[in-house]
Amino acid sequence: MEVEVDSGEKRLNELGYKQELRREMTLFKTLAISFSTMTLFTGITPLYGSSLLYAGPASLVWGWVVVSFFTWFVGIAMAEICSSFPTTGSLYFWAAHLAGPVWGPLASWCCAWLETIGLIAGIGTQAYAGSQVLQSIILLCTGTNKGGGYFAPRGVFLAMYVGLTVIWAILNTFALEVIAFIDIISIWWQVIGGLVIVIMLPLVALTTQPASYVFGHFQTAPETTGISSKPYAVILSVLVSQYSLYGYDAAAHLTEETKGADKNGPTAILSSIGIISIFGWAYILALTFSIQNFDYLYDPSNETAGAFVPAQILYDAFHGRYHNSIGAIILLFVIWGSFFFGGLSITTSAARVVYALSRDQGIPFSSIWRKLHPKHKVPANAVWLCAAICILLGLPILKLNVVFTAITSICTVGWVGGYAVPIFARMVMDDKNFKAGPFYLGRARRPICLVAVLWICYTCSVFLLPTYYPIKWDTFNYAPIALGACLAIVMLWWLLDARKWFKGPVRNIDSQNGKV
């Protein structure tokens, strides 16, 4: 036993858990992991093109501001809960304790499964988008689409997707220190890379769009998307912001490994939202100001085969000024790096949630998934389970065009839906049962939690909408079916069997010395 017990560890012991994971993360490291999960490029880059097409630049630019505003409500509500419960299973543990002894098991069950589904799909989103950037890099390196460059077909694309997933799983099976170190590189990579792109892109572009175009121009594209309703087009154009502005709970997943987690956890959550709101807006503005020819971005015969709008914007800017694509390739590599780091951190988070759920017997064959690697003390089996499911999610790449839409929808609904359970429980619970941490909202909690829950419900519902009309097999958003099937099985299992034995988080300290 150590002489001096960390404040986060003390609170963990009060809650009935003993310290098993190493407590090595400082605030900066936790913030780095949180920031690289919310990644600046990874949310905006893959969905930028489709969002811009739905309703033009103004809707995309102002949509980010609106989404950032509502995201603060969710973040503040979560920071208060995180301050009181610094444990690894985070959201799911919070749901169990806040919902009380009667509803706790069901609340933690729903929350754990939503979060598990969301995080595993999250690995898929990073692998898919990373492969997309790699596809553009290879195309530009081999002589662009017009110059006979190599555009990776579906089979090769799937191989890249699987390759990235497997690399992240291998890295996660080995020492946490390596990942903590990579995450430090990641935060600097995002910050320096982000600043370079945001400042350099509009300077390199031969012409920039006027502010009236970026902040005030609205246009729909019914001939391409099939969507002529303006409100519907605006709703779909804001998806890029809703997809980019979450992931700040990564700080909470690591609280059991963070020093002074009851104070540093909430600080990391709120700092992540602040940094990403400002940086993300700057990135969207840099891309939009630098557009050379709006219609040419989507032309299948352009240099990037019309497949990836940000790559074409970078290419137009650098090729226009320097008559080569080296600058665009370097910046695409910076963006690809952020997908690599993002996928690595999400794999870490997903494995931690699967580990926490299997520690409480909430997954079939729990005893396998909760085994820690004897030497590295990481949940290696849980890591590989996440990787395997993620690879299965990507198999439709061989046939369908909307795999990314579906994986991002499953990821967002699961991940953000998981946030709603503890926030809703916190809103309806009696305040005298809540043991406040250093960050406490007092009377403001009910209105803040209400806005947060309503915003999450709205976000989840818009991600299940069709994104193209007319609806055909290859343009069909299969997320509602995939999610519906998953959640139906999970809830049926609960009704038929799990409610009899699943009690939520299982304590691993015998003395009942904390408030339940």
Side-chain angles (χ1 to χ4, degrees), residues 1-5:
M1 285 293 286
E2 293 143 19
V3 185
E4 193 182 340
V5 178

Side-chain angles (χ1 to χ4, degrees), residues 262-428:
D262 46 352
K263 294 184 192 70
N264 287 343
T267 311
I269 289 174
L270 297 176
S271 312
S272 307
I273 299 175
I275 297 168
I276 215 85
S277 303
I278 295 160
F279 249 101
W281 206 48
Y283 180 47
I284 286 178
L285 289 175
L287 282 173
T288 315
F289 270 112
S290 307
I291 291 170
Q292 302 299 303
N293 176 347
F294 182 85
D295 294 323
Y296 186 61
L297 293 176
Y298 299 94
D299 183 347
S301 65
N302 71 15
E303 287 80 3
T304 53
F308 198 49
V309 169
Q312 187 63 38
I313 293 176
L314 290 169
Y315 177 85
D316 286 346
F318 281 92
H319 192 266
R321 188 169 292 273
Y322 302 113
H323 306 294
N324 65 37
S325 51
I326 295 168
I329 292 168
I330 292 168
L331 291 190
L332 278 172
F333 181 71
V334 170
I335 292 171
W336 181 82
S338 78
F339 283 110
F340 185 83
F341 296 136
L344 192 61
S345 338
I346 293 177
T347 309
T348 311
S349 288
R352 293 290 179 281
V353 172
V354 169
Y355 165 69
L357 185 54
S358 57
R359 189 166 66 174
D360 301 336
Q361 283 104 39
I363 290 181
F365 312 112
S366 286
S367 57
I368 301 171
W369 316 125
R370 69 164 177 263
K371 279 202 177 93
L372 291 176
H373 191 287
K375 181 178 169 205
H376 300 299
K377 290 282 177 275
V378 290
N381 294 358
V383 169
W384 287 97
L385 174 69
C386 295
I389 297 170
C390 169
I391 289 167
L392 288 176
L393 265 179
L395 291 180
I397 287 172
L398 293 170
K399 286 279 174 235
L400 299 176
N401 297 334
V402 286
V403 176
F404 188 68
T405 313
I407 298 179
T408 42
S409 301
I410 294 167
C411 169
T412 310
V413 174
W415 200 331
V416 182
Y419 292 0
V421 183
I423 294 175
F424 182 76
R426 172 75 185 105
M427 181 173 78
V428 297

Side-chain angles (χ1 to χ4, degrees), residues 7-292:
S7 64
E9 185 174 337
K10 186 163 167 269
R11 179 76 183 117
L12 189 71
N13 294 345
E14 282 174 26
L15 291 164
Y17 282 86
K18 69 171 183 272
Q19 182 75 40
E20 285 189 316
L21 298 161
R22 298 186 206 168
R23 203 172 269 278
E24 285 179 348
M25 304 268 190
T26 57
L27 171 62
F28 184 76
K29 281 186 181 174
T30 310
L31 183 59
I33 287 189
S34 201
F35 184 77
S36 50
T37 307
M38 281 185 81
T39 46
L40 170 65
F41 303 121
T42 48
I44 300 168
T45 313
L47 289 177
Y48 177 83
S50 58
S51 295
L52 183 66
L53 186 62
Y54 287 126
S59 163
L60 177 65
V61 166
W62 292 113
W64 182 272
V65 177
V66 172
V67 175
S68 300
F69 173 75
F70 285 107
T71 301
W72 277 104
F73 286 91
V74 183
I76 291 167
M78 283 175 60
E80 183 198 36
I81 303 169
C82 176
S83 179
S84 174
F85 298 115
T87 64
T88 268
S90 62
L91 298 175
Y92 130 85
F93 181 90
W94 302 348
H97 278 255
L98 295 169
V102 180
W103 292 102
L106 175 61
S108 62
W109 178 262
C110 296
C111 188
W113 275 101
L114 277 168
E115 200 182 359
T116 305
I117 292 167
L119 280 163
I120 293 173
I123 306 170
T125 61
Q126 303 295 309
Y128 188 100
S131 307
Q132 214 174 8
V133 178
L134 207 52
Q135 187 182 40
S136 295
I137 292 173
I138 294 167
L139 181 61
L140 292 180
C141 285
T142 52
T144 79
N145 188 40
K146 287 188 165 173
Y150 177 74
F151 186 71
R154 289 175 190 249
V156 176
F157 192 94
L158 181 63
M160 293 185 207
Y161 175 95
V162 172
L164 281 170
T165 311
V166 169
I167 291 167
W168 293 330
I170 291 169
L171 284 170
N172 265 289
T173 310
F174 300 101
L176 184 71
E177 290 91 333
V178 176
I179 289 184
F181 175 68
I182 289 176
D183 277 309
I184 298 293
I185 298 172
S186 164
I187 197 167
W188 291 114
W189 183 282
Q190 308 272 358
V191 171
I192 296 166
L195 282 170
V196 167
I197 291 178
V198 166
I199 294 164
M200 208 169 154
L201 185 56
L203 291 177
V204 168
L206 280 178
T207 56
T208 51
Q209 296 289 348
S212 59
Y213 174 79
V214 174
F215 295 107
H217 183 67
F218 179 87
Q219 68 181 76
T220 55
E223 64 290 342
T224 317
T225 59
I227 291 163
S228 50
S229 152
K230 285 182 181 170
Y232 193 19
V234 169
I235 285 170
L236 290 177
S237 76
V238 177
L239 291 182
V240 62
S241 311
Q242 288 163 304
Y243 169 60
S244 308
L245 282 162
Y246 64 84
Y248 36 88
D249 60 306
H253 290 297
L254 296 161
T255 43
E256 224 172 283
E257 298 162 57
T258 306
K259 296 164 183 158
D262 46 352
K263 294 184 192 70
N264 287 343
T267 311
I269 289 174
L270 297 176
S271 312
S272 307
I273 299 175
I275 297 168
I276 215 85
S277 303
I278 295 160
F279 249 101
W281 206 48
Y283 180 47
I284 286 178
L285 289 175
L287 282 173
T288 315
F289 270 112
S290 307
I291 291 170
Q292 302 299 303

